[in-house]
Amino acid sequence: MTEISSIVATSVTRRSTLRAAGAGAALLGLGLSGCRSAATGGAASADASGDAKPVKGGTLTIASQQDFTPALLFTISGACLPQRLIYNTLTVYDKNFDPQPELATKWDVSDDGRTVTLHLREGVTFHDGRAFTADDVVSSIKNTQNPDRSAQLRSTALAITGFDKKGDHELVLTLDHPVSNLFDLFEFMIISDGGNVPDALTGKKFNGTGPFRAKKWTPGTSFTFERNDAYWKDEGPYLDAVEIRVISETDSIASALKTGEVHLTFQLDGKNNKAFSSQPAFTVNQFSYGTGGSYYVGANVTHPELKEKAVRQAISYAVDRDRLVSQVMYGFGTATDTPWTKDSVAFAPSEPVSRKHDPAKARELLKSVGATGLKLTMEYVTGQDAFAQLVQYDLKQVGITVDIVPRDPAAWQKKLIAQDFDALWCGGHGFGQSIPSTLAVSAYPFNAEKNTSKFSSAAYKKLAVGAWNTTADPTGAAARGLYKKLTDLLLDECFVIDLAAVPATAVYTTKLHDIAINRYGLLDLDTAYLAK
């Protein structure tokens, strides 16, 4: 397994970014603590190229279990590989959580954190030849505010209440209140052509400023792209074309990699990742920061058997996290009981997993509230059978009978958003890699105002809003104190039971170089190439 390295070192450090912005605690409160690299855009990169030089040409073929879903274009889901190929974002974090320029070249933030001036890149055109201007940023923010888009960072977009254009490439945003995750929004939100949104949402036509033009989407089969020769960056794209091919079974994806039918996938299971890690013709990369996901079990707290907190805590003690990592993930993950990734400012490496496997403790908790003979359903995403079966087995050992029900990814995502799970569900969540307040005010399973578990708590809302609106440095001691209280509440209430963290893992031919992802998992192929 090869450790990745950041591609483009940037000269813009976090400190210098703050100086450029006018600095001060209020500025830090607006989220000047992002992550990601690239003076001309940036992301977590994976490169096994050594001294190889980029070459032009070739079609990169990617295998994906999930088909593109146009209705989810403006959300983050398991099917968001195409977004960053077609579109750009305003900024992109480097690995030190510093926001770096993309379509916004610099920014100035007022001391009270309620006014942000964006300076926008000139000379950028959409795929249809139209020039990118401040109007496109305004329409993209308003699009994210639209409840029909189900965009996870809608609440942050809604904090922006005023737009004042100073020409085509300068825009002053007024915020109703300071937010600590504004640069999360700037990396989450793809900049789209407002007039094209209706066609994009039905998969008919896409118009962005990104490195590739959408060529043809064939539902259930493939999505093809061709190089944008008018791309605004000095370097790349090198690839002539990209094809995302839908292959539902992981073993079939593995076979397609071996035969050269496809070059890259992010969606092999632990068994296949381990198998490829010993094959010299392939690279297996676990991205060392940024997006990935966490395996978890969610609980509908309005279900009669799950109202008692003790029952949910019993489930947390009942599942053997270490066995999940070793037997299901084949070591490609880490046992955890909190939602944060290792590079999150909320992650506390000195604290051990508090919910060690303890079936006796689980039985004791169930007995304390008279919960015996429980029978529950648990829905899971197709392909995660081994994960669901392990949880089912462990719960049976403490007296909880679980019927597991597979759902295809699109149906599972729809039920997640609609809060439509009967009792339990299991799957993966992200957003633990963002500014921590983003998880508590934006992620479907955790949103303090409306979450999939239907969990409501004045204390939780107060903590979530406090972390979101703080003007303290998001990486400083005061903010970390808020995150600690948030973590303690999540561990106590157990409406989301985190089990294991798994970084984004890519498997690809060694001919492929310089692939990258941003913090939300959007695939960046700006400088990727296939060696001859």
Side-chain angles (χ1 to χ4, degrees):
M1 186 164 55
T2 306
E3 191 64 24
I4 68 156
S5 59
S6 285
I7 4 182
V8 185
T10 174
S11 61
V12 185
T13 64
R14 181 169 185 273
R15 184 172 298 174
S16 63
T17 302
L18 293 175
R19 283 201 298 267
L27 310 185
L28 293 166
L30 278 172
L32 296 181
S33 65
C35 64
R36 207 69 13 148
S37 70
T40 54
S45 70
D47 186 4
S49 60
D51 296 327
K53 294 182 179 179
V55 293
K56 288 188 175 181
T59 297
L60 175 66
T61 305
I62 305 169
S64 173
Q65 284 184 291
Q66 299 180 36
D67 191 15
F68 174 65
T69 305
L72 297 177
L73 180 65
F74 300 103
T75 70
I76 294 296
S77 71
C80 57
L81 286 175
Q83 274 88 329
R84 182 53 182 70
L85 304 187
I86 305 170
Y87 304 96
N88 292 116
T89 57
L90 286 174
T91 60
V92 61
Y93 285 129
D94 66 17
K95 65 179 180 180
N96 297 316
F97 249 118
D98 290 327
Q100 300 296 321
E102 191 157 93
L103 289 184
T105 57
K106 63 177 183 177
W107 39 89
D108 306 291
V109 186
S110 65
D111 287 343
D112 65 0
R114 297 181 60 181
T115 303
V116 180
T117 301
L118 293 173
H119 303 269
L120 304 175
R121 191 175 298 279
E122 299 184 30
V124 177
T125 57
F126 282 88
H127 296 160
D128 67 355
R130 183 176 67 78
F132 159 72
T133 70
D135 286 331
D136 298 303
V137 178
V138 174
S139 68
S140 294
I141 292 172
K142 291 183 176 179
N143 184 54
T144 306
Q145 293 174 337
N146 186 336
D148 292 341
R149 304 292 177 257
S150 297
Q152 289 98 326
L153 268 77
R154 178 171 175 258
S155 58
T156 300
L158 283 170
I160 301 171
T161 53
F163 305 89
D164 184 12
K165 290 189 299 177
K166 307 288 186 184
D168 283 343
H169 296 96
E170 184 175 332
L171 176 66
V172 180
L173 304 176
T174 302
L175 279 71
D176 186 53
H177 55 83
V179 294
S180 59
N181 65 341
L182 191 64
F183 285 87
D184 280 4
L185 173 69
F186 289 168
E187 181 159 345
F188 168 94
M189 180 180 67
I190 55 176
I191 301 300
S192 56
D193 173 0
N196 173 248
V197 167
D199 279 346
L201 285 168
T202 56
K204 292 180 180 177
K205 185 180 179 182
F206 306 88
N207 191 29
T209 62
F212 295 91
R213 304 170 188 271
K215 185 176 181 181
K216 183 178 182 181
W217 174 50
T218 305
T221 302
S222 65
F223 200 163
T224 58
F225 309 83
E226 60 186 4
R227 182 174 58 225
N228 172 19
D229 289 324
Y231 194 42
W232 54 271
K233 288 190 176 180
D234 293 335
E235 183 185 15
Y238 296 108
L239 296 165
D240 286 338
V242 178
E243 178 186 12
I244 299 175
R245 193 173 299 176
V246 179
I247 303 177
S248 58
E249 300 294 333
T250 54
D251 286 346
S252 298
I253 292 175
S255 296
L257 276 167
K258 291 175 184 174
T259 61
E261 184 182 347
V262 301
H263 302 105
L264 162 70
T265 187
F266 285 86
Q267 294 184 321
L268 288 183
D269 54 19
K271 179 183 70 174
N272 279 300
N273 285 337
K274 185 176 182 180
F276 275 97
S277 64
S278 62
Q279 298 186 33
F282 295 93
T283 300
V284 179
N285 267 314
Q286 286 186 288
F287 286 74
S288 61
Y289 72 98
T291 190
S294 294
Y295 280 33
Y296 77 102
V297 172
N300 177 356
V301 302
T302 66
H303 187 282
E305 306 289 8
L306 295 168
K307 287 182 177 178
E308 287 283 358
K309 182 170 63 179
V311 173
R312 306 194 300 267
Q313 291 175 337
I315 293 171
S316 183
Y317 280 110
V319 179
D320 188 340
R321 291 170 171 80
D322 290 331
R323 192 161 63 88
L324 172 66
V325 170
S326 64
Q327 295 186 6
V328 175
M329 302 166 72
Y330 285 75
F332 284 80
T334 306
T336 186
D337 55 2
T338 73
W340 317 116
T341 60
K342 285 186 176 180
D343 64 332
S344 167
V345 294
F347 182 75
S350 61
E351 297 177 5
V353 175
S354 59
R355 292 283 160 71
K356 293 288 186 182
H357 182 220
D358 192 341
K361 177 70 174 178
R363 294 188 196 98
E364 178 184 321
L365 282 165
L366 292 171
K367 185 179 179 181
S368 71
V369 292
T372 59
L374 299 186
K375 293 183 178 180
L376 302 168
T377 59
M378 184 172 73
E379 298 168 69
Y380 69 98
V381 184
T382 306
Q384 295 188 345
D385 307 71
F387 171 31
Q389 289 164 7
L390 182 145
V391 174
Q392 180 189 43
Y393 175 84
D394 282 349
L395 295 188
K396 185 177 181 180
Q397 307 315 303
V398 300
I400 302 175
T401 301
V402 175
D403 290 329
I404 55 176
V405 183
R407 302 288 184 194
D408 68 69
W412 192 91
Q413 184 79 10
K414 184 177 180 181
K415 289 173 77 72
L416 182 79
I417 296 172
Q419 304 175 307
D420 193 30
F421 292 115
D422 173 56
L424 301 174
W425 67 97
C426 64
H429 74 73
F431 286 74
Q433 77 281 11
S434 305
I435 292 295
S437 61
T438 292
L439 179 119
V441 300
S442 300
Y444 298 129
F446 295 92
N447 190 318
E449 286 295 327
K450 181 182 178 182
N451 54 67
T452 312
S453 295
K454 302 177 185 176
F455 174 79
S456 181
S457 154
Y460 184 42
K461 290 178 182 176
K462 183 178 180 181
L463 283 173
V465 173
W468 187 39
N469 290 351
T470 181
T471 54
D473 179 351
T475 64
R480 288 175 190 270
L482 288 171
Y483 306 151
K484 176 67 166 59
K485 292 179 181 177
L486 199 59
T487 302
D488 289 345
L489 185 145
L490 292 171
L491 285 170
D492 182 56
E493 292 290 350
C494 283
F495 59 95
V496 175
I497 302 164
D498 275 282
L499 301 172
V502 54
T505 303
V507 180
Y508 51 94
T509 169
T510 52
K511 292 182 178 180
L512 176 62
H513 304 284
D514 285 355
I515 63 167
I517 57 174
N518 80 355
R519 189 155 282 258
Y520 288 102
L522 306 185
L523 181 60
D524 180 342
L525 297 177
D526 286 13
T527 57
Y529 65 95
L530 284 166
K532 301 298 182 184

